[in-house]
Amino acid sequence: MSDQALDTYLHQLIALQETQDSEHMMKAVEEVVLRFNEMNEANSYFIETMEREELADFIDKAARLAGLDIHEEEDITEEWREW
């Protein structure tokens, strides 16, 4: 399930890369974070510290590579993240 959530996220970013639509890119970030919130709750809170950092970093780096303009120190997952 987590692979599927990340695949969907990456496909959304790829589709948005040409237009560099930051509003829709942030919507994709929100959707993947909310999906991981659901999976984490449904699976006995499996996302621990190490996974949390790696997952947030992956979501951030993918968005930056797609062209989302965000500050270096900004955590783009924080607004929605419960893990």
Side-chain angles (χ1 to χ4, degrees), residues 33-34 37-38 40-41 45 77-78 80-83:
V33 170
L34 293 176
N37 287 347
E38 292 169 6
N40 194 42
E41 186 175 336
Y45 301 95
T77 67
E78 187 174 29
W80 307 285
R81 184 166 35 95
E82 296 174 1
W83 29 271

Side-chain angles (χ1 to χ4, degrees), residues 20-80:
Q20 305 258 322
D21 185 336
S22 61
E23 185 177 328
H24 283 96
M25 285 184 186
M26 284 304 295
K27 184 65 177 166
V29 170
E30 177 184 3
E31 289 172 5
V32 74
V33 170
L34 293 176
R35 183 68 189 115
F36 272 96
N37 287 347
E38 292 169 6
M39 285 187 284
N40 194 42
E41 186 175 336
N43 292 285
S44 303
Y45 301 95
F46 73 102
I47 301 174
E48 296 185 14
T49 303
M50 187 72 145
E51 291 85 6
R52 181 181 310 122
E53 291 173 7
E54 290 174 356
L55 185 55
D57 191 46
F58 179 87
I59 292 169
D60 179 85
K61 284 184 179 177
R64 287 177 194 273
L65 287 171
L68 185 62
D69 185 24
I70 48 181
H71 298 291
E72 189 69 33
E73 306 84 31
E74 186 177 0
D75 178 355
I76 62 172
T77 67
E78 187 174 29
E79 183 176 347
W80 307 285

